[in-house]
Amino acid sequence: MSLTRRTLLTAGSVGLVIAQARAATVPAQQTENAPQPATTDDKLRIAMPAFASDPFFPADGAGDKGIDMELARGIAAELGVEPVFDRSAVTFDGMVKQLMSGQADMAIGKLSRTLRRGRSILYSRPYAMLHQGLLANRLNLARIAQGKPPEQIIRDFSGDLGVIEGSSFATYAATTFPHAQLHRFAGWDMLVDAIRNGTIDMAYRDDFEIKKLMVDDPSMTVVARSITLTDKVDTIAIGVRPDNPHLAAFVDLYLDLARGQQVLNTDEIIARYRLGSKA
């Protein structure tokens, strides 16, 4: 039996009512089931190293000032959750491991982006961009260069190169200086001492830390010189646990909207460090 026009109109009206009812309930359901960018206990677990790296973050228990502290607290505030800091990591790679294991939701602590780390965690876009640099013992460098400009011998450098264990530069060294004899140190102070006494020829780190050293200890210019690798960058970003892309996207949004897409450079960070040193 064929359907009449009235039957079709009636069926259409019923279908419209049902569709409208479903449309009214779907947004509420979607909102309820939407993935949350933070943990379910209203806390944002933030990994940060135990040591200090002014002006990014202080040592554990030494206050809450610094570029990274401000970022961490700002993100937590916009999420409406409590920031809980885990300062147990003794290396930068230690923070990455906390993200991989799910012990932390976010890692912020002058964390460099590397391809190796990017295989295991999510990264935000950079909020600071530094150049890679070298701190060279003057006498050792003169002996190696033999009258040539240092820039000519840097790329094929085969001497003793120091890096901090668990840092991005311990990873970079293998490709940037494949012929160098690599020496790993537990911390920056030990590495600087090795440069001062000539135990190693050069130390490999970002240009900000090298310039900061010269600000803190002008006497270093007598025994060492800094070399900036202008074609090599060290991008600093926020790490996010690999199973939370929503949080990673929110962090990018925060950097775009709340921070105005600002990317700090070495000169700006040094200026902030000088200002803090006078306080």
Side-chain angles (χ1 to χ4, degrees):
M1 182 175 66
S2 62
L3 296 175
T4 65
R5 176 180 174 82
R6 178 176 297 178
T7 302
L8 288 172
L9 288 174
T10 302
S13 299
V14 172
L16 179 61
V17 170
I18 294 173
Q20 289 174 336
R22 286 177 177 173
T25 59
V26 166
Q29 293 172 347
Q30 287 179 339
T31 301
E32 182 180 348
N33 298 327
Q36 297 299 311
T39 55
T40 55
D41 56 0
D42 291 330
K43 290 181 173 59
L44 185 65
R45 298 170 300 166
I46 302 166
M48 186 175 283
F51 53 85
S53 182
D54 294 331
F56 287 92
F57 52 89
D60 185 18
D64 60 358
K65 293 183 178 180
I67 295 168
D68 287 344
M69 279 289 187
E70 292 169 4
L71 278 174
R73 293 189 180 282
I75 292 169
E78 290 297 335
L79 286 170
V81 297
E82 177 189 355
V84 178
F85 292 92
D86 184 338
R87 303 298 302 272
S88 61
V90 296
T91 67
F92 295 102
D93 278 347
M95 290 192 295
V96 175
K97 291 178 181 178
Q98 287 177 298
L99 293 178
M100 292 169 60
S101 67
Q103 292 175 274
D105 302 306
M106 188 172 79
I108 178 166
K110 199 170 178 279
L111 184 66
S112 299
R113 299 192 306 171
T114 70
L115 293 175
R116 180 178 61 82
R117 290 172 178 168
R119 297 200 301 259
S120 304
I121 66 170
L122 301 174
Y123 273 116
S124 74
R125 63 195 57 183
Y127 62 89
M129 186 171 293
L130 313 173
H131 284 292
Q132 297 181 19
L134 296 164
L135 180 69
N137 178 281
R138 285 187 179 275
L139 291 178
N140 291 7
L141 184 62
R143 172 179 50 79
I144 296 169
Q146 296 181 347
K148 298 177 182 178
E151 292 74 14
Q152 290 185 11
I153 59 96
I154 291 301
R155 291 306 181 206
D156 295 322
F157 176 68
S158 58
D160 295 304
L161 181 70
V163 296
I164 299 174
E165 179 64 46
S167 72
S168 59
F169 291 88
T171 301
Y172 296 150
T175 53
T176 307
F177 301 104
H179 307 299
Q181 307 303 309
L182 199 61
H183 300 266
R184 299 172 185 271
F185 292 80
W188 180 231
D189 290 343
M190 297 174 64
L191 190 48
V192 171
D193 286 342
I195 288 292
R196 192 189 297 275
N197 60 37
T199 304
I200 61 173
D201 303 315
M202 294 195 293
Y204 188 28
R205 206 176 181 189
D206 64 75
D207 67 335
F208 163 70
E209 292 293 344
I210 294 172
K211 290 179 179 179
K212 185 175 78 170
L213 173 67
M214 300 303 190
V215 171
D216 291 340
D217 186 2
S219 70
M220 279 297 298
T221 59
V222 177
V223 297
R225 63 163 292 182
S226 64
I227 301 170
T228 298
L229 306 179
T230 55
D231 61 333
K232 296 286 185 180
V233 296
D234 181 31
T235 51
I236 308 301
I238 297 170
V240 177
R241 56 186 291 176
D243 61 348
N244 202 337
H246 192 174
L247 177 57
F250 184 88
V251 171
D252 275 345
L253 190 64
Y254 178 84
L255 293 174
D256 283 349
L257 301 184
R259 304 284 294 187
Q261 297 183 324
Q262 180 185 25
V263 180
L264 299 169
N265 60 38
T266 297
D267 290 340
E268 290 169 328
I269 300 169
I270 280 286
R272 175 161 175 163
Y273 178 70
R274 288 180 183 274
L275 185 63
S277 298
K278 295 176 182 178

